[in-house]
Amino acid sequence: MRLADLIGSVVVDADGDELGDVGDIWLTQDGLPMGVFGAALRFDKLVIGRFGLASRAGYERPNVLGPVILARLLGRGTKHRPVASWPDIAAIEEG
Amino acid sequence: VKKVFEIFLGILTAFGGFVDIGDLVANSETGARFGMRLAWVVVVGVVGIVIFAEMSGRVATMSKRPVFDVIRERLGARLALVNLAASFFINLLTVAAEIGGLALVIELVTGINYLLWVPLVAIAVWIVLWKVRFSIMEKVFGLSGLALLVTALALWRLDPGFTEALASARHFGPPSAESWATYAFFAIALLGAAMTPYEVFFFSSGAVEDHWTRKDLILNRANVYVGFPLGGALSLAIMGCSAALFLPRGVSVDHLSQVTLPVSATLGKVGLVFLLYGIFAAIFSAALETALSAGYTVSQFFGWQWGKFVRPREAARFHVVILLSLCVAVLIVLSTLDPIAVTEYSIVLSAAALPLTYIPILIVANDPAYMKDKTNSMFLNAIAFIFLVLLLIVSIATIPLMIWTKGGA
């Protein structure tokens, strides 16, 4: 499976209710060392919701804080979006 | 000792390389029409470019990624393409303005029409870009630009005209012969001249070209915090000369030859030779920087190999963009559009386009994923945010003011 296949797929919770589409995937570079590339990338979280300009600005990540007014403005719509870690995902189905 | 020398050299290079055709034209024109009443805009513009260039130099050094790479990532490919188109077009106008300016300087010296010199000047610029190493190119022309210091000497010799001009700096608003609209328009022109986007493309890409690392951040700071304000002071000297000589006589500046008059009137032939050399070097350096910026922006957007730190054959597309940009710039100047008018439009549009590059850099300079521990301080963010608001207002006001004042006429 490719990571790109996950983008745009519908996320459904345990009760079968739709949470929204996968808008973004966060990776962490802390896996096994891979030669010149450095540490391997590891799947960190799925971000659920549209991936627009405000998301690209990066203010949904908790450590991007300044300038305050810009962070408030652009972070408002994105900061509290649901995220899902790997253990939260029960199954990935095609269709 | 080596480090101190390097810092000193960097400061002098930033100092000598600050002024270009846009600064020469904008400062001379406003000096003649408004005295020093718009001097405060140069100060604001210098603070602005200091903040902007320091951030972009730091982003490039810490993330090893130059401005347009970052812009594409932050804005997404489609919006960044619009941004690239606008930035590239304005930069192209600036290349044309610098080439035209160089040709005009040679016309002043030889008396032969500038149009004849245009292709030759462009070829000279291209050869330097193709052959000369980045660090040498940057230093030789930047340092030669220091010959412009004769304008400061001329200003001092122009007293008492200068004392009167200086007194006008205390007045906010236009003199009786000018309207508020033209006052605002020339304020935008001065801001655009001080804060031209290519300076940032060049400066940040230069940080990668020079292989800057975290240890070189002090060099970044010294260049912008000391070198740029000194360059700004030189801009003010040019404005002061024009204010002292032309304003009392009601002369307006619309040719490059007039820019040289205050120096030749006070310091004679020797002064004039120094000045012409300084103008030529400063504009030549800007022509190199703008032509490189054309290559930088496009290559960085499309992810091509760029830069002079590799052989031309390894960055073929980068060099093709530079060559084509120079060709188009030559055609623009050969169309007999007045190079001074091209310059005016390029700086005013530069001011309008500033938020396109400023906003992504400001956001990334706050992102620890790129910057690690070198994110913006709260103090810097406060000033940077005020500038963001100012640049947005300027951006909205520019085109209406341009139409309203008929380009500041």
Side-chain angles (χ1 to χ4, degrees):
Chain A
M1 193 182 71
R2 284 169 177 272
L3 206 54
D5 298 337
L6 285 179
I7 300 272
S9 53
V10 183
V11 184
V12 181
D13 70 7
D15 304 324
D17 298 329
E18 259 187 39
L19 294 175
D21 295 348
V22 175
D24 195 10
I25 295 164
W26 294 349
L27 305 173
T28 315
Q29 193 169 13
D30 63 354
L32 295 167
M34 288 175 62
V36 285
F37 182 75
L41 294 166
R42 186 176 58 79
F43 179 100
D44 186 16
K45 286 182 177 73
L46 285 181
V47 187
I48 301 161
R50 208 176 80 83
F51 186 69
L53 210 55
S55 313
R56 283 214 174 81
Y59 288 111
E60 56 195 348
R61 279 175 286 134
N63 56 353
V64 190
L65 300 168
V68 181
I69 302 176
L70 217 54
R72 289 243 173 95
L73 219 62
L74 292 173
R76 207 171 41 188
T78 57
K79 202 150 197 154
H80 307 291
R81 295 196 305 182
V83 291
S85 305
W86 193 249
D88 301 334
I89 302 168
I92 300 172
E93 291 167 16
E94 281 194 34
Chain B
V1 176
K2 196 174 163 236
K3 192 85 185 168
V4 174
F5 178 69
E6 207 178 337
I7 291 173
F8 183 65
L9 201 63
I11 289 172
L12 288 184
T13 311
F15 180 13
F18 186 84
V19 171
D20 74 337
I21 184 82
D23 297 283
L24 283 168
V25 168
N27 286 286
S28 302
E29 277 190 341
T30 39
R33 285 178 64 166
F34 300 89
M36 297 295 277
R37 284 165 183 250
L38 279 165
W40 62 271
V41 181
V42 177
V43 178
V44 171
V46 168
V47 175
I49 191 69
V50 163
I51 291 172
F52 193 8
E54 192 279 325
M55 282 197 299
S56 59
R58 186 156 38 91
V59 167
T61 307
M62 292 305 291
S63 68
K64 300 273 178 285
R65 296 168 65 175
V67 170
F68 241 89
D69 192 345
V70 167
I71 289 176
R72 178 176 165 149
E73 186 169 279
R74 289 290 117 167
L75 297 181
R78 260 172 298 177
L79 193 57
L81 189 64
V82 176
N83 191 332
L84 175 70
S87 302
F88 186 81
F89 169 72
I90 294 165
N91 186 61
L92 200 60
L93 272 187
T94 318
V95 180
E98 311 289 353
I99 300 267
L102 284 173
L104 283 177
V105 177
I106 307 182
E107 182 188 274
L108 282 181
V109 178
T110 60
I112 300 171
N113 190 291
Y114 78 96
L115 287 170
L116 194 73
W117 298 110
V118 170
L120 299 176
V121 162
I123 292 171
V125 169
W126 181 75
I127 289 175
V128 172
L129 287 175
W130 185 260
K131 282 280 177 202
V132 182
R133 280 224 322 263
F134 184 86
S135 52
I136 294 177
M137 177 196 94
E138 192 186 23
K139 293 199 172 77
V140 167
F141 290 98
L143 294 178
S144 302
L146 287 175
L148 284 175
L149 278 170
V150 284
T151 49
L153 199 61
L155 183 61
W156 174 60
R157 293 281 290 269
L158 273 169
D159 217 36
F162 172 59
T163 321
E164 285 162 28
L166 200 61
S168 68
R170 287 201 294 270
H171 299 281
F172 182 81
S176 51
E178 301 283 350
S179 71
W180 275 97
T182 51
Y183 182 77
F185 183 78
F186 275 91
I188 291 177
L190 281 174
L191 190 76
M195 289 187 77
T196 325
Y198 84 81
E199 295 173 49
V200 170
F201 302 144
F202 176 75
F203 192 72
S204 71
S205 304
V208 181
E209 294 259 25
D210 282 334
H211 305 292
W212 278 8
T213 61
R214 175 186 279 267
K215 275 187 249 159
D216 296 305
L217 282 177
I218 186 167
L219 218 62
N220 179 38
R221 255 178 263 140
N223 280 0
V224 296
Y225 287 156
V226 187
F228 283 9
L230 286 173
L234 204 55
S235 299
L236 282 175
I238 296 167
M239 185 192 277
C241 279
S242 189
L245 192 68
F246 299 129
L247 182 68
R249 295 169 178 81
V251 178
S252 70
V253 173
D254 33 37
H255 195 267
L256 197 64
S257 61
Q258 288 167 291
V259 177
T260 62
L261 264 180
V263 171
S264 53
T266 49
L267 302 171
K269 271 188 193 156
V270 178
L272 185 62
V273 169
F274 265 95
L275 179 71
L276 287 174
Y277 176 69
I279 292 181
F280 187 83
I283 305 180
F284 202 96
S285 149
L288 297 172
E289 292 174 12
T290 47
L292 277 173
S293 293
Y296 287 146
T297 49
V298 174
S299 308
Q300 288 162 9
F301 176 85
F302 287 108
W304 302 337
Q305 174 65 53
W306 57 271
K308 283 179 57 58
F309 58 93
V310 294
R311 286 164 197 275
R313 104 168 36 184
E314 288 163 40
R317 283 176 289 194
F318 166 73
H319 280 279
V320 168
V321 175
I322 292 177
L323 186 59
L324 288 180
S325 305
L326 280 171
C327 292
V328 176
V330 166
L331 290 180
I332 295 175
V333 191
L334 285 182
S335 73
T336 70
L337 277 175
D338 177 16
I340 301 296
V342 175
T343 307
E344 287 165 0
Y345 282 111
S346 75
I347 52 178
V348 171
L349 293 176
S350 289
L354 275 168
L356 294 175
T357 38
Y358 183 84
I359 295 174
I361 291 301
L362 175 59
I363 290 173
V364 170
N366 278 287
D367 191 335
Y370 292 83
M371 307 299 293
K372 303 191 178 75
D373 57 325
K374 298 289 181 191
T375 51
N376 278 5
S377 67
M378 262 171 66
F379 176 70
L380 181 59
N381 267 338
I383 308 176
F385 187 77
I386 295 170
F387 264 91
L388 173 62
V389 176
L390 175 75
L391 294 181
L392 286 174
I393 295 171
V394 164
S395 183
I396 296 165
T398 302
I399 305 288
L401 266 177
M402 203 153 115
I403 297 167
W404 179 262
T405 61
K406 297 194 177 76

